Amino acid sequence: MFPALETDLKQETLPDPYEDFMHHHLQYYGYFKAQKSNLPNSATHHRVWKTSPRYMLNGSFGEKDDLISDTLETETFLYSLMLSSPLLRSRQLLYDDLDEVNPRLREPRELFSIFSSRGPLQAPRWPIECEVIKENISHIEWVPPQPEYFYQPTGDEKVPEIVGEEQGTAVYQLDSVPTEGAYFTSSRIGGKRGIIKELAVTLQGPEDNTLLFESRFESGNLQKAVRVGIYEYELTLRTDLYTDKHTQWFYFRVQNTRKDVTYRFTIVNLLKPKSLYAVGMKPLMYSQLDAITYNIGWRREGQEIKYYKNTTDDGQQPLYCLTWTVQFPHDQDTCFFAHFYPYTYTDLQCYLLSIANNPIQSQFCKLRALCRSLAGNTVYLLTITNPSRTPQEAAAKKAVVLSARVHPGESNGSWIMKGFLDFILSNSPDAQLLRDIFVFKVIPMLNPDGVIVGNYRCSLAGRDLNRHYKTVLKDSFPCIWYAKNMIKRLLEEREVLLYCDFHGHSRKNNIFLYGCNSNSRKHWLHERVFPLMLSKNAPDKFSFDSCNFKVQKCKEGTGRVVMWRMGIINSYTMESTFGGSTLGSKRDTHFTVEDLKSLGYHVCDTILDFCDPDQTKYTQCLQELKELLQQEIHKKLNNLGQDMDLEGSWSDIPLSDIESSTSGSDSSLSDGLPAHLLNLADELNQKAMLKKPKKKRLQTRKQRNEQYQKNYLMRELKLTENNTPTQLSGRDKGTSLDPPLTSLVLPKNKDITQSKKPGFTASCSPKRSTNSSLGPAPDVKPNWPKTRYPATRKDRTPMVAYPSLHIYTYP
């Protein structure tokens, strides 16, 4: 078939040490099945590959989705085809422009997915039960020219009575949702096979003003709409798939609107007793005609907003309602309503594709697949750093780990992440300096499955991923299992200065951090320095008073606590409100996407302040924290009616006694095994209860006699031990053939605990002055001393050794 190649193979008799190494390398990962005798010559192999077409493994939307084979099956088939041919083995040797061998290792073709900038993106994969419309839903980005203020309650807001289908008419009913007790089995591009049903009612004519609802698109989650008046509708949200709870996020479409008519919408099955809607938060609305005609995007709309308890008692958990009125701007318009600005998996893929196609950004931002989700969607990992000049310089770089969307309904985390990526990938001097001294590991969407199907909190395992970072169930929780192990490997090769997971908060305004308390008196309060600095850099958005550092037992499985126990002292959860700010110039106004994106810039700005070799800012913050803590202790003691001299003993009071709990969500406390294993465990327990152990009958007289003698000897031995005092010599004390289990386990655990908490020291580089227009300048800057050291990149001079800033870990 390839005579030239056969000739080359016959002439090649000496073993190739590189191919021998790669044979073992690929065998270790399970991707190489051939024998060593079948290995082709590397150079010849390269020539064959250069002339062969590249295959693409991408799905696409369209009417031919039913004819597209499963993507994972296609990959398996193509890879087995590669392994079956002696010509297509490995592409580990890279060649330069002169066609000379450059012996650098490259990942096996299927071991890590390489983000392709060619061809269409891989379409999202849905559970096979979900119906998905074929329309492409997209929205423009837009910043309102005027601040959007909170709604001011008048006290006359109407509280509509919930009547349901008994007195109303169902105009939208989604029936393709898995039933209670079901669990995820498989997925495909486009979701459910067959013809997509028309769930909305059929209009009787042009005068029919019934609204047409739809939510079978990415991140949509409307379950049912009931018309209870001419312009009044009761809405039921779909719970997270394979659960019976977690209703907070909403995103749906309405059509056939009428202008200058007041509509009322009431969501009837919310689960949280407290909400920002009760203190002025407004829903978001998007008009498609406004977007096309006037370039107007999402905006806050709504009057007569009321959040109240649903009086309908179904005998289960209590439900809450959100009601509001609105007037649509146009007749026959297509409008959307959402809990917060949507950011879908497709939005992320388009953004990453723009990075991959950028010839400058792609040089210092490498995109790889961390893993595949349960449904087979790619979880992307970005590594951002400038190329190092020497191996020593590369090894000296500290790491920063950032992630978002572990809770899929908290889309504000994606907007902060987008602002961070916009800045860190820019040509700003500060961004270049950050890339010089740090390696950034970024996971922009940890739970793509939940984002795609419109979940608020869970993955397709039916569980909150941010309670399972300690899991060993890789197959059930692949996203966080691979994320945790990536960070574990990262800690083995370099120091991780900061870990931060971006979230959203539904009951508090502003932006704040949750961290972890230090129990070391020598290094007390150091974990609070970064949040305090961030509050000074973004004083109209970030609230230090809302930060909390208490580690609760129910939060032991969260990302910030697990990473902290792995040795990352600055381990945080960033909570961004769904509402807005109560601080400074933005007081009583809703956050826009630009506000959240600017916080991504402030994170970068604060990292440089935190690592400034001039420790004036750091020590200033520590002193301020001590004074704040003393005031808090005084307040606590006064409330208890006690008096105490705090000059010498104030630091002996445990911080856990001073701080309250984080007031975080308790909706995940009952989470346990993933849904499919939970059902399996129930079945096994029922079988065990039904199946009683049977006593084994002795078949012969000899067996009965042997059992009788054994029982008799055991009774005699027991009587002897009870009547005879035990005397142990010094040699025999503490010895036993069967030592207690605790004597074997506890010392080992203790050693492991101590070995996992090394001390870290972070050397820092100076912060450059920001003179680029790409990064949004903060509205109010703190009164920091001006200690920034400009550096020139043109000369590429070696980095100056500055005094180290010691970053301590916990005992």
Side-chain angles (χ1 to χ4, degrees):
M1 185 177 181
F2 295 97
L5 177 61
E6 292 176 1
T7 304
D8 288 343
L9 287 177
K10 291 178 181 178
Q11 294 175 355
E12 184 66 34
T13 56
L14 296 176
D16 189 337
Y18 179 81
E19 292 293 349
D20 186 64
F21 163 75
M22 286 314 306
H23 166 76
H24 295 289
H25 177 68
L26 292 177
Q27 255 191 350
Y28 173 78
Y29 286 105
Y31 286 97
F32 197 85
K33 311 294 184 184
Q35 302 297 321
K36 285 199 286 188
S37 58
N38 293 334
L39 290 174
N41 176 271
S42 297
T44 308
H45 163 76
H46 171 72
R47 288 196 294 271
V48 174
W49 267 106
K50 287 179 67 176
T51 57
S52 64
R54 258 184 100 179
Y55 64 85
M56 301 297 293
L57 299 178
N58 293 310
S60 60
F61 287 116
E63 299 179 352
K64 298 182 180 180
D65 273 359
D66 291 338
L67 301 178
I68 299 176
S69 60
D70 188 287
T71 305
L72 294 179
E73 292 179 359
T74 305
E75 293 179 9
T76 304
F77 170 76
L78 289 174
Y79 198 76
S80 62
L81 185 63
M82 290 169 58
L83 295 180
S84 63
S85 171
L87 304 176
L88 309 179
R89 296 296 185 193
S90 170
R91 298 186 64 197
Q92 299 301 305
L93 284 180
L94 304 182
Y95 290 76
D96 57 23
D97 296 336
L98 300 177
D99 210 30
E100 296 179 356
V101 176
N102 186 4
R104 288 182 292 136
L105 287 179
R106 189 166 74 180
E107 299 94 340
R109 191 171 180 83
E110 296 289 322
L111 183 57
F112 296 101
S113 297
I114 300 175
F115 192 91
S116 175
S117 59
R118 306 177 185 177
L121 295 169
Q122 177 185 331
R125 299 179 63 88
W126 296 69
I128 57 174
E129 302 95 344
C130 296
E131 291 185 349
V132 186
I133 62 174
K134 302 300 181 182
E135 300 176 43
N136 181 25
I137 306 296
S138 61
H139 307 293
I140 63 171
E141 282 190 39
W142 176 73
V143 180
Q146 301 297 328
E148 297 179 306
Y149 286 94
F150 294 159
Y151 172 73
Q152 299 299 322
T154 63
D156 298 328
E157 286 78 16
K158 180 182 177 181
V159 180
E161 181 182 356
I162 308 304
V163 298
E165 293 185 60
E166 296 179 358
Q167 302 179 32
T169 304
V171 295
Y172 181 81
Q173 177 72 53
L174 186 63
D175 59 0
S176 60
V177 178
T179 58
E180 183 179 356
Y183 50 87
F184 172 75
T185 55
S186 57
S187 66
R188 64 182 298 273
I189 294 172
K192 193 173 184 178
R193 294 181 182 273
I195 301 174
I196 302 300
K197 300 177 183 177
E198 284 291 338
L199 299 185
V201 295
T202 303
L203 298 179
Q204 301 302 314
E207 301 300 323
D208 191 345
N209 57 8
T210 304
L211 289 179
L212 305 178
F213 291 83
E214 185 58 81
S215 67
R216 292 171 295 174
F217 46 80
E218 270 194 87
S219 299
N221 71 334
L222 181 65
Q223 172 71 33
K224 181 170 66 173
V226 178
R227 190 180 189 186
V228 295
I230 298 178
Y231 301 111
E232 290 192 37
Y233 295 87
E234 291 178 3
L235 310 177
T236 302
L237 303 181
R238 176 184 54 73
T239 61
D240 283 9
L241 287 188
Y242 317 113
T243 76
D244 59 355
K245 52 185 177 178
H246 306 300
T247 51
Q248 184 70 27
W249 165 265
F250 60 87
Y251 179 31
F252 59 91
R253 184 184 74 184
V254 293
Q255 293 176 308
N256 195 36
T257 63
R258 296 294 186 268
K259 183 181 178 181
D260 299 330
V261 173
T262 301
Y263 289 83
R264 177 177 290 276
F265 298 99
T266 304
I267 299 176
V268 301
N269 67 328
L270 298 171
L271 290 174
K272 292 192 175 183
K274 296 181 181 180
S275 173
L276 287 169
Y277 289 111
V279 291
M281 178 175 158
K282 293 183 178 181
L284 281 162
M285 190 188 79
Y286 184 95
S287 166
Q288 199 159 290
L289 285 178
D290 275 349
I292 296 173
T293 308
Y294 306 108
N295 202 37
I296 296 175
W298 288 99
R299 58 183 186 245
R300 299 283 179 173
E301 292 287 350
Q303 298 295 323
E304 298 186 48
I305 301 172
K306 184 75 174 178
Y307 193 87
Y308 60 99
K309 187 174 182 179
N310 190 337
T311 56
T312 305
D313 187 9
D314 59 356
Q316 298 177 357
Q317 53 190 341
L319 300 177
Y320 297 86
C321 300
L322 168 65
T323 185
W324 75 95
T325 62
V326 70
Q327 290 187 347
F328 294 111
H330 305 284
D331 287 325
Q332 302 297 329
D333 195 4
T334 295
C335 294
F336 295 83
F337 288 96
H339 181 56
F340 202 73
Y341 301 97
Y343 192 93
T344 65
Y345 182 64
T346 298
D347 292 333
L348 172 67
Q349 286 191 308
C350 291
Y351 183 76
L352 297 182
L353 188 62
S354 68
I355 296 174
N357 288 329
N358 189 305
I360 298 176
Q361 293 178 345
S362 59
Q363 294 300 311
F364 50 76
C365 178
K366 301 301 180 184
L367 279 67
R368 292 292 185 268
L370 176 70
C371 64
R372 299 262 186 179
S373 65
L374 283 181
N377 294 298
T378 302
V379 180
Y380 295 101
L381 171 66
L382 284 68
T383 302
I384 304 171
T385 189
N386 281 339
S388 302
R389 290 161 293 185
T390 64
Q392 293 76 15
E393 182 181 318
K397 287 185 176 182
K398 311 300 183 291
V400 173
V401 181
L402 302 176
S403 61
R405 298 302 285 278
V406 68
H407 292 154
E410 297 170 0
S411 59
N412 27 17
S414 282
W415 291 108
I416 297 177
M417 179 65 75
K418 188 175 188 297
F420 165 80
L421 291 174
D422 284 344
F423 180 77
I424 200 66
L425 297 176
S426 70
N427 60 356
S428 163
D430 277 2
Q432 296 180 47
L433 177 60
L434 283 167
R435 298 195 301 265
D436 281 339
I437 61 179
F438 289 109
V439 176
F440 292 90
K441 292 287 187 178
V442 180
I443 309 174
M445 193 170 285
L446 266 168
N447 189 354
D449 295 346
V451 173
I452 290 168
V453 302
N455 280 2
Y456 173 60
R457 200 168 182 87
C458 297
S459 71
L460 294 184
R463 293 293 178 263
D464 181 353
L465 294 183
N466 201 36
R467 297 295 183 272
H468 290 86
Y469 271 88
K470 299 167 69 175
T471 186
V472 296
L473 300 175
K474 179 175 68 171
D475 294 336
S476 297
F477 306 108
C479 306
I480 56 171
W481 192 92
Y482 279 97
K484 177 185 173 182
N485 280 273
M486 180 271 293
I487 298 172
K488 187 181 296 183
R489 293 193 302 270
L490 191 64
L491 281 167
E492 293 174 355
E493 66 181 35
R494 66 183 73 245
E495 174 191 339
V496 177
L497 179 72
L498 175 75
Y499 165 86
C500 191
D501 190 22
F502 298 153
H503 285 248
H505 207 283
S506 64
R507 290 175 292 175
K508 290 183 180 180
N509 279 308
N510 306 311
I511 301 171
F512 47 93
L513 289 176
Y514 289 149
C516 303
N517 269 330
S518 171
N519 296 322
S520 170
R521 299 301 172 188
K522 182 179 179 182
H523 311 131
W524 215 23
L525 305 177
H526 284 246
E527 73 285 343
R528 304 177 186 224
V529 174
F530 184 85
L532 184 60
M533 285 183 172
L534 188 54
S535 70
K536 294 179 180 294
N537 286 332
D540 55 351
K541 305 180 186 72
F542 191 91
S543 171
F544 181 77
D545 292 337
S546 298
C547 295
N548 200 292
F549 303 88
K550 186 172 184 177
V551 179
Q552 297 171 271
K553 185 177 180 181
C554 62
K555 304 297 177 66
E556 287 287 338
T558 61
R560 67 175 169 99
V561 177
V562 171
M563 301 309 161
W564 172 61
R565 297 203 184 282
M566 287 169 57
I568 305 175
I569 182 174
N570 300 296
S571 180
Y572 304 106
T573 296
M574 179 175 287
E575 297 283 356
S576 170
T577 180
F578 289 106
S581 174
T582 62
L583 307 169
S585 61
K586 293 190 174 294
R587 184 180 181 87
D588 297 331
T589 62
H590 290 88
F591 280 148
T592 66
V593 293
E594 204 61 34
D595 291 324
L596 297 180
K597 288 163 67 175
S598 71
L599 196 79
Y601 157 75
H602 290 305
V603 169
C604 297
D605 195 41
T606 306
I607 290 175
L608 289 176
D609 285 333
F610 187 72
C611 294
D612 198 319
D614 182 355
Q615 298 187 27
T616 303
K617 301 173 186 178
Y618 195 93
T619 54
Q620 176 185 337
C621 287
L622 271 181
Q623 184 59 35
E624 185 176 342
L625 286 168
K626 291 179 181 178
E627 294 173 0
L628 289 173
L629 189 60
Q630 283 180 321
Q631 295 174 10
E632 188 66 25
I633 294 174
H634 272 297
K635 189 187 299 183
K636 291 280 186 181
L637 294 177
N638 289 335
N639 293 338
L640 296 174
Q642 300 178 7
D643 192 15
M644 182 177 180
D645 180 18
L646 298 179
E647 291 299 326
S649 58
W650 70 273
S651 61
D652 294 333
I653 301 175
L655 288 178
S656 58
D657 295 343
I658 302 169
E659 281 194 313
S660 59
S661 66
T662 59
S663 299
S665 173
D666 58 355
S667 58
S668 305
L669 299 185
S670 60
D671 281 355
L673 293 172
H676 68 288
L677 292 183
L678 192 64
N679 293 345
L680 181 61
D682 291 339
E683 294 177 5
L684 292 177
N685 289 335
Q686 292 177 1
K687 290 181 180 179
M689 293 177 62
L690 295 175
K691 185 178 180 180
K692 297 181 180 179
K694 294 182 179 180
K695 187 176 180 180
K696 186 177 180 181
R697 296 179 62 85
L698 299 176
Q699 299 298 326
T700 63
R701 178 176 297 185
K702 182 179 179 181
Q703 289 176 325
R704 292 196 297 270
N705 289 338
E706 289 177 351
Q707 185 65 40
Y708 175 83
Q709 293 176 3
K710 183 177 180 181
N711 294 339
Y712 175 81
L713 291 175
M714 290 295 293
R715 287 196 299 270
E716 291 293 321
L717 180 61
K718 188 174 181 180
L719 290 174
T720 304
E721 290 176 348
N722 292 336
N723 295 331
T724 306
T726 304
Q727 300 291 336
L728 293 176
S729 64
R731 178 183 176 185
D732 296 329
K733 289 181 181 179
T735 61
S736 172
L737 294 177
D738 298 311
L741 181 62
T742 54
S743 65
L744 297 175
V745 176
L746 290 179
K748 183 178 180 181
N749 291 341
K750 183 177 180 181
D751 294 341
I752 294 174
T753 304
Q754 293 176 351
S755 65
K756 285 187 177 181
K757 298 181 179 179
F760 294 120
T761 303
S763 60
C764 308
S765 296
K767 182 176 180 180
R768 304 179 189 179
S769 59
T770 305
N771 54 10
S772 173
S773 60
L774 292 176
D779 299 329
V780 182
K781 287 297 291 183
N783 188 21
W784 291 126
K786 304 296 183 182
T787 58
R788 304 204 178 194
Y789 301 87
T792 305
R793 293 182 55 84
K794 295 180 180 179
D795 299 333
R796 300 296 294 175
T797 56
M799 298 177 63
V800 184
Y802 293 102
S804 298
L805 172 63
H806 294 282
I807 307 301
Y808 301 97
T809 189
Y810 296 91

